[in-house]
Amino acid sequence: MSDQPATNGALVRVEGVEKVFHRGTEDIHVLANLNLQVPAGEFLALMGPSGSGKSTLLNLIGGLDRPTKGRVSVAGDHIEKLSDHQLAAWRARHIGFVFQLYNLIPVLTAERNVELPLLLTHLTKAERRKHVETALAMVGLTHRAQHYPRTLSGGEQQRVGIARGIVTDPTLLLCDEPTGDLDRKSGDEILNLLQALNREHGKTIIMVTHDPHASARASRTVYLNKGELTNTPLA
Amino acid sequence: MKFFHLIRGNLLRHKLRTSLTLLSILVAFVLFGFLCAVKQALVGGVALAGADRLIVRHKVSIIQMLPESYQARMERIPGVAAAAHQTWFGGIYQDPKNFFMQCPVVPEQFMAMFPEFILPADQMTAWLATRTGAIVGRNTAERFQWKIGDKIPIMSPIWLRKPWEFDLVGIFDGKEKGTDTTSFYFRYDYFDEARQAQNWGQGQVGWFTIKVDDPAQAAAVAQAVDREFENSPAETKTEPEGAFAQAFVNQIGNIAFIIAGILSAVFFTILLVTGSTMSQAVRERIGELGVLKAIGFTNRQVLGLVLAESCLLTVAGGGLGLALAWLLTARGDPTGGMMPMFFFPVRDILIGFALSVALGVITGILPAQQAMRLRVADALRRM
């Protein structure tokens, strides 16, 4: 789908990242001296127990949060150096998000939900419509375009979420527990879709999951425990 | 506007809540329109008063009369361009409820003094040729369905205490929308001669209107007029026409202040109602605002979306309210003659529209700032 920028082999570089949350007088160290490289075209699964910092790491890579220490670069852009305004524009250009609870806007139809990220571009109405049709066709939901989220099943809502994530053809697709709220059959459909996006369209995907069945679909799995990354599952 | 679907969708999320808020705003703006029309009816005469005209009345009270002979003396005062007199007739047409002002005047002097009254030339000629002739403003002519040639009987409880009969020879229009076209004017020579029968008031008039050469010298001319009649049996008080009209209005009270007070209370309530709706609307969808920010909406765009939503709500409610007020006031004076200049002026409609936008900005700004300051990661946790 896209031409990924060359960044010395790695599309995503996380270098010496530390993240500390402040709760009152208490400092909570979530990530400590964390390093990760994700090459372009990889489908990476990020596993770990609850509270291990998986979502925090995903938020840092997606520019939703800033590291306390260290550097995060995606496609050559050091996102910790960007202002809030620049970061928002950067997310619109480079990142597609898929959330566990789909996070669709309930007052918009599937089609309008998918169109949302395109409203931030300079595309004409006709061009936006074409992109939306393509994205909905890729997730197999053309026939449900005019439906509101409440009339769609969980699996269908997540497919709309994926269509919204890919409609701008982002550099990187970040999925936070995309099958966490779905039954096995719907979950498998979503995983098939993500796998197809990675294999057939070369989309780089980082997926946070608890589910070994889901991580088995990824090309590589890393494990996060107490703020540290390993390549081996936890005992 | 490409974000319209999102804004409209959010507004229609809770239809009942939005409808009730919209209705409150609508009612407030209908009231605004109505009160503006009332204010226009009561103080409109002040705004339309000629800057170059002064009113000369008896120093004691407007109901005390002045000798008609004063006119010639006034016209000799330097700075006075012309003078014309009027007298309160206080007649009743069929029923005391059918109120409208009637005054005997000298036609040529009167029409020259008040160019805001437009009377066709042939009707003016007819008036000059008919001793019992009278002219009436369009508003009253339409109210009683009078037409030229009609005989108009008017009972005067002051003069002769008998019905007077006039021949309607003209119907005048106003030059501007706010010009009073409810009055009825008839010839002073006919009136004065008839007064001989009651042996009272002959040669006396109610008040004078004088036109000055230079409006900048109006105060000096007014002083000169009052000096001219100092220590006479009928001393005068001369003031600008606007101040004279204002004095009438002040008998009711400070209209502008009363209306401003009512409207302030109403709009303060609306501010709270709309502000509460908008705050609730933002609180309910913090997670969704987080999603918008996650997919690339900037803080300013989120601020703009919330502000646009509150402005759309207040402008829709305000616009409907203003339109309804305009429709209601377009039917004219609801009192049947007491408020001839009752209408909703375009200037006030524009002020109302600006007010609706301001209301949207004021009620939306706090929730919008709250939405703007949301941290994405925190907001997403509240989805």
Side-chain angles (χ1 to χ4, degrees), chain A residues 34-195:
Chain A
L34 193 133
N35 294 290
L36 174 70
Q37 293 194 4
V38 182
E42 186 171 53
F43 183 177
L44 177 77
L46 184 58
M47 291 190 76
S50 292
S52 60
K54 306 184 297 291
S55 295
T56 301
L57 178 58
L58 205 69
N59 287 347
L60 293 177
I61 294 170
L64 299 181
D65 209 347
R66 293 168 190 278
T68 310
K69 239 187 208 174
R71 289 153 46 130
V72 177
S73 72
V74 176
D77 293 324
H78 288 276
I79 60 177
E80 75 279 357
K81 290 179 182 168
L82 302 177
S83 68
D84 282 353
H85 188 82
Q86 289 169 325
L87 203 52
W90 178 86
R91 283 196 300 270
R93 203 168 55 247
H94 288 293
I95 306 293
F97 285 101
V98 177
F99 303 96
Q100 179 181 356
L101 297 174
Y102 334 126
N103 293 11
L104 301 179
I105 307 294
V107 294
L108 299 179
T109 59
E111 185 182 64
R112 295 281 182 199
N113 264 287
V114 176
E115 190 191 21
L116 271 177
L118 297 175
L119 298 179
L120 304 171
T121 66
H122 296 296
L123 296 177
T124 63
K125 194 176 173 183
E127 288 168 333
R128 289 201 304 269
R129 179 173 289 274
K130 204 173 159 195
H131 279 71
V132 169
E133 281 170 4
T134 306
L136 281 173
M138 284 176 75
V139 299
L141 274 185
T142 305
H143 63 295
R144 306 286 265 171
Q146 300 302 324
H147 286 243
Y148 285 89
R150 64 176 180 278
T151 64
L152 300 173
S153 68
E156 286 173 329
Q157 287 189 56
Q158 191 58 295
R159 282 195 273 162
V160 175
I162 292 172
R164 183 179 65 188
I166 60 172
V167 73
T168 53
D169 192 14
T171 309
L172 181 62
L173 189 61
L174 299 178
C175 310
D176 192 358
E177 305 263 14
T179 58
D181 206 48
L182 299 174
D183 58 41
R184 175 51 59 93
K185 183 170 173 289
S186 303
D188 278 341
E189 284 170 8
I190 295 302
L191 291 169
N192 289 340
L193 194 55
L194 292 176
Q195 222 167 10

Side-chain angles (χ1 to χ4, degrees), chain B residues 22-289:
Chain B
L22 200 75
L23 200 63
S24 327
I25 299 169
L26 183 146
V27 169
F29 277 87
V30 169
L31 185 66
F32 168 83
F34 228 81
L35 288 178
C36 283
V38 170
K39 182 171 148 236
Q40 175 65 27
L42 295 175
V43 305
V46 178
L48 286 172
D52 60 348
R53 290 197 297 245
L54 302 173
I55 300 290
V56 184
R57 65 170 175 86
H58 197 286
K59 190 176 181 179
V60 175
S61 159
I62 183 84
I63 62 168
Q64 302 285 322
M65 302 191 73
L66 296 169
E68 188 209 346
S69 58
Y70 276 16
Q71 181 166 344
R73 289 169 65 183
M74 283 177 204
E75 284 170 344
R76 283 199 294 272
I77 294 171
V80 174
H85 59 76
Q86 295 178 63
T87 305
W88 184 258
F89 186 66
I92 296 164
Y93 174 68
Q94 294 178 340
D95 188 299
K97 283 190 292 186
N98 295 338
F99 174 81
F100 56 94
M101 186 175 86
Q102 313 99 27
C103 287
V105 298
V106 179
E108 310 92 312
Q109 292 171 3
F110 177 78
M111 294 309 287
M113 183 62 69
F114 298 98
E116 62 265 41
F117 297 146
I118 310 295
L119 183 69
D122 58 326
Q123 294 177 16
M124 183 67 189
T125 308
W127 196 18
L128 293 173
T130 313
R131 191 171 175 74
T132 55
I135 62 167
V136 70
R138 177 77 57 196
N139 189 309
T140 298
E142 286 176 356
R143 183 175 160 206
F144 299 117
Q145 297 175 333
W146 290 344
K147 53 188 187 305
I148 291 170
D150 283 357
K151 288 203 177 293
I152 313 295
I154 296 181
M155 169 70 196
S156 173
I158 306 171
W159 309 107
L160 304 180
R161 303 187 182 203
K162 66 147 184 122
W164 293 58
E165 196 168 80
F166 301 99
D167 294 296
L168 192 64
V169 294
I171 296 172
F172 64 86
D173 289 293
K175 201 182 227 174
E176 293 177 37
K177 185 175 170 60
T179 305
D180 178 8
T181 59
T182 60
S183 301
F184 180 94
Y185 300 103
F186 55 96
R187 281 176 51 162
Y188 175 77
D189 51 354
Y190 169 55
F191 170 70
D192 199 40
E193 191 180 289
R195 283 194 295 186
Q196 282 180 7
Q198 70 173 21
N199 198 24
W200 172 70
Q202 211 184 1
Q204 302 282 307
V205 298
W207 65 93
F208 292 91
T209 305
I210 58 178
K211 188 174 275 183
V212 296
D213 289 323
D214 177 7
Q217 297 301 315
V221 172
Q223 282 175 359
V225 170
D226 290 344
R227 253 196 324 272
E228 172 73 20
F229 304 108
E230 226 166 32
N231 300 319
S232 71
E235 290 188 314
T236 60
K237 182 179 178 185
T238 306
E239 58 194 345
E241 195 178 40
F244 180 74
Q246 186 69 59
F248 267 103
V249 172
N250 287 349
Q251 289 176 12
I252 305 170
N254 188 339
I255 301 298
F257 180 76
I258 294 167
I259 288 176
I262 296 170
L263 288 176
S264 300
V266 170
F267 279 107
F268 182 69
T269 312
I270 292 303
L271 208 71
L272 298 182
V273 170
T274 317
S276 157
T277 301
M278 286 311 300
S279 296
Q280 212 172 335
V282 166
R283 258 200 320 275
E284 282 168 358
R285 51 173 204 268
I286 281 178
E288 289 175 31
L289 292 166

